[in-house]
Every structure is written in C-alpha cells, then in structure tokens.
Amino acid sequence: MPTLSRMYFITAICFLIAGILVGLKMSIAHDYAAVGAHAHINLLGWVTMAVFGTFHALNPRGAATWLARAQYYVYTAGVLVMTPALYFLLTGNPSLEPVVAVASLVVFAGVLMFAAIIFRTRAG
C-alpha cells in the first residue's frame, strides 16, 4: 500500500473517532446544535478520506506524484480547520463564520485537486 494511502486511512480513522465523540457528547447532553459539524467530521473526514486512500491504494503510481501529496495536505488542513470551527460556530460562536468560509474553500480546492488526479490517472 502506498504511504499516501496509509496516511489517508490513519487520518480518516482519527476523524471517525472525533465524529463519534462529538455524537456521544450531543447524545449525552441532549443538545444537537452541532449535528452539522458531526456530519461534516464523519463525511469529509472519515468517509471522503477513506475513499481518497482507497483510490490511491488502487492507483499507486499516482499516489507518488507531487499533486497527490499536495492534495492530501491541502484537503486535510481544510477539514482540520473547518470542522472544529463549524462546531464552535453552531454551538454559539458566530465570529467563526469567516474561518468556516475560508476553510470550506480550502476543502473545495482539495476536492478540485483530487478531481485533477482522477482525470490524470490512466487505466493500467
């Protein structure tokens, strides 16, 4: 398995743990204000990163490119900033809205980079 795939899977499992902890906190407190952040942690962190890791495991030549490595760092940084900022925004800190907005654009840039990786990948 390429190192990049392993990095994605390690990062993904960390986001799954964080997502479960947020879900448990909401359930215990009966306060579901942060459900949007919980969903983003699980979908952008756990699911999407696992998909990225799987793609690179199946296409190891592409995983060694500078674009693939850069995409990992761009996307991961965006999700790492966006999800806690979104959590705090949804639980009563409206001053974090610009942080969420900018981090969301960074996440989107990471998705566009992954699209470029997919389109550049040749069969075989």
Side-chain angles (χ1 to χ4, degrees), residues 37-68:
H38 171 68
H40 279 77
I41 293 166
N42 285 313
L43 292 175
L44 296 179
W46 164 239
V47 176
T48 304
M49 288 192 172
V51 169
F52 290 166
T54 301
F55 178 85
H56 288 301
L58 295 172
N59 299 282
R61 281 188 304 165
T65 66
W66 72 268
L67 179 59

Side-chain angles (χ1 to χ4, degrees), residues 75-86:
Y75 184 83
T76 301
V79 176
L80 276 172
V81 172
M82 186 191 74
T83 53
L86 181 59

Side-chain angles (χ1 to χ4, degrees), residues 15-27 31-47 79 82-84 86-88 90-91:
F15 275 110
L16 177 61
I17 292 166
I20 289 172
L21 289 172
V22 170
L24 287 171
K25 182 191 178 301
M26 288 189 308
S27 293
D31 179 2
Y32 301 98
V35 71
H38 171 68
H40 279 77
I41 293 166
N42 285 313
L43 292 175
L44 296 179
W46 164 239
V47 176
V79 176
M82 186 191 74
T83 53
L86 181 59
Y87 176 89
F88 290 116
L90 295 174
T91 57

